[in-house]
Amino acid sequence: ERLELRSFTYFATVVAILDFREEEAQSVVSEDAICLQILQELPTNVKELAWMPPVYNTSAVFTIFTEDTEDDLVKKIGRFREEIQECAKSVCGFRIQLGVSATHTDYRHIRAAYRESLHALTFKAIADKQEADDCHFYLASSTVKSKKYNERYEQEIQNAIKSVDKNLCYDITGNFCKELIEGHEREEEIIIHLIGFVNAILITAVNVDVNLQEMFPDGIRKRIRELLEVVENERIRRYLKRYFIDPVMKQRMEGLERQSSSMIEQIEELIEESKGNITLTECADALGVHQTYVWKILKMHRDKSFSDYIEEYKINEAKRLLLETNKTVAEIAEEANLTLLSEDAVRDIIHEIATQNESMIKERQMGAMGPLMGMSMKKLKGKADGSLVNKIVREEIQNLMN
């Protein structure tokens, strides 16, 4: 009444966003400026289709449509869709994606209708195939079946951060976002799982000495609040990548470079103390870091993998013993642990490990490769070539998957 707006029988809310087909496109344009320009250049008669003037907030245009019949309401929204597409095309060349709420009769439910519009955009991948591919209507929670969320992504993202593997972080984040949609999660569940995933990133960041104040000069709450307002699956992935993964990885790489000189000394001391009889896992555990971190330090400073470095150390140690002692070649080989197991013996050991971890393999499939490699190398204690172990572990996983 204060706004002097006429009351209609039905209303629906619409949220519109720019449709970035390529990730690179979003990174080189000012989304705010484009959306505001579209609103400015939208013809007056098109703006007047809406019950209230369209407004822009958090990468999205929001508006409300009203009519006395549901058919007329759908037609009005359809006309708005056509007009805003034409305007967007002339302004920037991008298309628009629209999310439309269910129809409502109680104006106190505008906030709920707004969430439905966001929900429609988030779940556009499962929308009715008969509708236009740029306009997506809300599906009530009762019409979609939720499946159990797999919390392994939280553990995987923590391990990827510890190992300073940015590409792996990207892959895990992409799979996490995809599963939220394919699992047909309800809005409240998506929020819970998003916060859980972000918390896993932040907890690990703190544990590896990332400066969160540097990452979030305006505060963590602001970023999380913005994330929960992101309206579409691909944007959620991009937001996580840009504002959480990339800053953490940047600080991790800088820390790696600062600490690498002292770390390589500690790695070489452990190898020498153990006479080369130490696995990558044991070395990483002794230093309190991830296995991949040790591998990268050696590659950075010695241009060798851990297994190659160990093998070279043992050969040099064997040469020294031959020159400085009266021990036989067999005794030296045994002392330096240079005797390799046969391929059949290696297969038997890895098969036993794979069988004991069958449930993990079936759940994670090729994602179980890393954990199984660690277990196998620890069990074999350097008595098998790393490339052979990798080959056999991969075969065992594929056999159990089939």
Side-chain angles (χ1 to χ4, degrees), residues 114-356:
Y114 170 69
R115 290 197 297 266
E116 291 173 359
S117 301
L118 301 182
H119 191 282
L121 276 172
T122 303
F123 288 93
K124 66 179 185 290
I126 59 170
D128 185 349
K129 294 181 180 178
Q130 300 301 315
E131 68 184 26
D133 64 0
D134 56 12
C135 189
H136 313 282
F137 292 85
Y138 172 70
L139 293 174
S141 296
S142 60
T143 67
V144 292
K145 185 177 180 181
S146 175
K147 70 179 182 181
K148 182 175 175 59
Y149 167 68
N150 198 328
E151 294 180 353
R152 77 168 189 268
Y153 292 116
E154 294 172 18
Q155 183 62 54
E156 288 179 354
I157 197 67
Q158 290 181 320
N159 290 337
I161 291 170
K162 290 176 183 176
S163 64
V164 203
D165 193 330
K166 181 189 283 189
N167 289 332
L168 183 56
C169 286
Y170 287 171
D171 290 343
I172 292 166
T173 301
N175 292 335
F176 162 76
C177 293
K178 182 180 178 182
E179 182 163 306
L180 282 187
I181 300 306
E182 290 185 348
H184 302 176
E185 300 283 358
R186 296 174 176 85
E187 179 188 359
E188 61 272 17
E189 293 172 331
I190 288 178
I191 291 173
I192 290 170
H193 300 325
L194 267 177
I195 291 175
F197 192 76
V198 168
N199 282 343
I201 294 172
L202 297 178
I203 289 169
T204 311
V206 170
N207 290 339
V208 296
D209 298 325
V210 167
N211 186 333
L212 294 187
Q213 187 171 1
E214 181 181 322
M215 269 183 67
F216 307 106
D218 297 326
I220 296 174
R221 288 184 179 180
K222 178 177 181 291
R223 283 287 176 228
I224 293 178
R225 186 167 60 248
E226 289 177 352
L227 172 64
L228 298 181
E229 292 178 352
V230 176
V231 296
E232 187 252 350
N233 175 46
E234 269 300 293
R235 289 164 186 254
I236 292 173
R237 182 185 68 81
R238 292 168 187 165
Y239 196 96
L240 287 170
K241 173 183 170 183
R242 180 176 179 182
Y243 293 109
F244 292 91
I245 301 299
D246 286 352
V248 169
M249 286 295 103
K250 180 176 180 291
Q251 287 198 40
R252 287 287 283 144
M253 287 304 298
E254 291 171 351
L256 177 65
E257 291 173 3
R258 286 195 302 270
Q259 300 170 10
S260 61
S261 296
S262 61
M263 184 64 73
I264 188 66
E265 293 176 3
Q266 295 178 59
I267 293 170
E268 291 179 329
E269 284 177 9
L270 284 171
I271 291 173
E272 188 171 345
E273 288 172 3
S274 65
K275 301 298 182 184
N277 296 315
I278 186 171
T279 66
L280 176 58
T281 301
E282 290 168 342
C283 183
D285 289 346
L287 296 171
V289 297
H290 196 272
Q291 300 166 25
T292 308
Y293 188 88
V294 174
W295 189 93
K296 287 184 176 181
I297 290 288
L298 276 170
K299 199 69 177 172
M300 181 188 299
H301 286 270
R302 302 292 182 258
D303 195 28
K304 292 180 175 67
S305 67
F306 186 83
S307 58
D308 288 343
Y309 188 91
I310 288 288
E311 185 177 351
E312 183 178 289
Y313 174 87
K314 287 182 177 181
I315 291 171
N316 289 334
E317 180 67 8
K319 289 178 181 177
R320 185 188 69 79
L321 291 172
L322 278 171
L323 293 173
E324 298 178 5
T325 70
N326 296 321
K327 294 180 179 179
T328 65
V329 172
E331 288 172 336
I332 291 173
E334 180 66 27
E335 183 176 332
N337 203 20
L338 288 170
T339 306
L340 296 178
L341 296 173
S342 68
E343 182 173 332
D344 287 342
V346 175
R347 284 187 179 279
D348 288 342
I349 291 171
I350 294 176
H351 178 73
E352 181 181 354
I353 292 171
T355 302
Q356 291 171 350

Side-chain angles (χ1 to χ4, degrees), residues 361-362 395-402:
I361 292 171
K362 288 185 175 178
E395 289 173 359
E396 286 289 339
I397 292 174
Q398 289 171 341
N399 289 338
L400 285 172
M401 284 169 56
N402 296 331

